[in-house]
Amino acid sequence: MDWIGPVLILLLCLLAIASLLKKGSSWNNRSPNLPPGPSTIPILGNLHRMDLKRPYRTMIKLSKEYGPVFRLKLGFQEMVVLTGYETVKEALVNQADAFAERPFVPIFDDLSKGFGIVFAHGENWKVMRRFTLATLRDYGMGRRTIEDKIIEECGVLTRTIETYAGKSFGVTRIMTAAVSNIIVSILFGKRYDYEDATFLRLLKLMRENVRLSATPVVLIYNVFPMLGFLLGSHKTVMNNRKEFHDFIETTFIERLKDLDENDRRSFIDSFLVRQREENMKMTNGEYFHNENLKALISDLFGAGTETSANSLLWAILLMMKHPEIQRKVQEEIAKVIGDLQPRTDHRARMPYTDAVIHEVQRFADIVPTNVPHATTRDITFKGFFIPKGMFIAPLLTSVLHDESQWEKPHEFYPEHFLDSEGKFAKNAAFLPFSAGRRACAGENLAKMELFLFFTSLLQRFTFQPPPGTPKDDLDLTPDLGLTIPPMPYKTCAGLR
């Protein structure tokens, strides 16, 4: 093992040389009006100050010292951090075009190659987003057809929970499978049994990549990509990507055998029909290729599963933690819905339940750092110069916990969304799906899923901690990942 010391010294020397070559970088000293920020040290920048597991927490602390617009340097990666509702809104909504790009982040570029929708760039992103929104509408997003699919899945989920007969069980696997089946039915034109080995494998690959992509090891890779060959987590992420893409490729190759443009059974079918049309017309065919299809399906599968599933996992945990809130929701369900099947039409008459669902999303803070943005041009923002292509971190956690916008920002408090008369009250700082050009494409679908799954579950069950576990001992510490689930837990679902 005598070789380890010299190799590390060599790597540090290479990093130091690279750091010197990067001097001046994006800012290029073109303006005296640069955002403030902490002083840096060679090679590391500000990396030594960061909570590597939850960097957004360090960023929030720094914002109290440097203000709502400040700059950081993590290794060679320079960025501008935006915090607070007013600042994030000004960037993503009022100056949406200027903040509409994605930065080049090594792990995301390795995963997507610039294709798909979530991490795509420029014209490719615009074409794929237009196609995705139109196709999701064709397959019923926001309409009765997709509502019926969600209700069907709610039935399967409640029947599965009934099999535990009130005994303690872990809810993560079946909840994730149930939610995922909604986007899967759109993408692949089918649903999977919760025990299906292929389905469970796909969910494992997706969840593992979501978790690993936010680990300290991958953060180090993002700031020092030349070290990738030493980092096992990066290799695991890429192996998982290949296995998932191989599955998608096998699926759409099978679809091509009997593709009928007049009988499109899935999102994949619609893409392949469009691909055929564009190839015949020789217009825009550069976008409708197989690599874009694989990246797009990966993006939609992950985004359509993780955020809603994690929100519902938080909802059940918070109902166990706050049984008085669970009772009030159940009383409203009994009053408005009774024994009928919950429908989205009921939501307008259920202000308390609606408030609880919104507060779950706010409190759970599923995507605290947001997906990073980048500037499309040189701009002056809040009096500071920010160059084109700058990595922008608009922290959603700072919006959802903004003390100027929320009465009790760090508590679970459904009254945040109720007025003095008990009616549902919107709050402009409720931005769990982000905002602007890069807002979540599946926001309407997610809202429908959350309401129907949540009301169906609480109509049928009362969720309690396992025997011997006081509610005060329930752990609300968030787990790690690009999207944040609660720590794994068990529940008992008693029939009502």
Side-chain angles (χ1 to χ4, degrees), residues 161-175:
I161 292 176
E162 286 173 3
T163 64
Y164 292 98
K167 296 180 181 178
S168 172
F169 68 100
V171 72
T172 299
R173 179 180 57 80
I174 60 173
M175 183 66 76

Side-chain angles (χ1 to χ4, degrees), residues 323-333 352-353 415:
E324 72 286 356
I325 294 176
Q326 182 172 197
R327 282 193 297 271
K328 290 181 71 173
V329 171
Q330 290 171 329
E331 288 170 2
E332 189 173 66
I333 291 173
Y352 190 77
T353 301
E415 286 73 11

Side-chain angles (χ1 to χ4, degrees), residues 77 103-114 119 208-215 217-225 228 231-239 241 299 372 391 482:
Q77 177 66 70
F104 288 88
V105 180
I107 191 64
F108 297 153
D109 287 340
D110 290 347
L111 285 168
S112 70
K113 307 299 183 185
F119 305 114
E208 187 172 41
N209 272 10
V210 168
R211 180 179 175 83
L212 288 176
S213 294
T215 56
V217 172
V218 172
L219 175 60
I220 296 299
Y221 169 70
N222 284 334
V223 297
F224 300 122
L231 306 176
S233 293
H234 170 254
K235 297 175 185 176
T236 301
V237 167
M238 296 311 296
N239 287 338
R241 171 191 180 274
D299 286 347
F391 185 120
L482 290 177

Side-chain angles (χ1 to χ4, degrees), residues 330-399:
Q330 290 171 329
E331 288 170 2
E332 189 173 66
I333 291 173
K335 178 181 178 181
V336 176
I337 302 176
D339 294 329
L340 299 176
Q341 171 61 53
R343 287 272 181 187
T344 53
D345 292 343
H346 291 122
R347 177 163 37 192
R349 292 182 285 141
M350 302 176 67
Y352 190 77
T353 301
D354 206 7
V356 169
I357 293 171
H358 278 71
E359 181 65 359
V360 167
Q361 292 180 272
R362 187 202 68 82
F363 181 84
D365 194 13
I366 299 295
V367 193
T369 56
N370 205 339
V371 182
H373 287 240
T375 46
T376 59
R377 61 178 184 269
D378 289 356
I379 61 168
T380 298
F381 180 77
K382 297 285 187 178
F384 300 116
F385 170 75
I386 302 178
K388 177 180 179 180
M390 177 54 60
F391 185 120
I392 304 293
L395 299 189
L396 291 185
T397 188
S398 72
V399 177

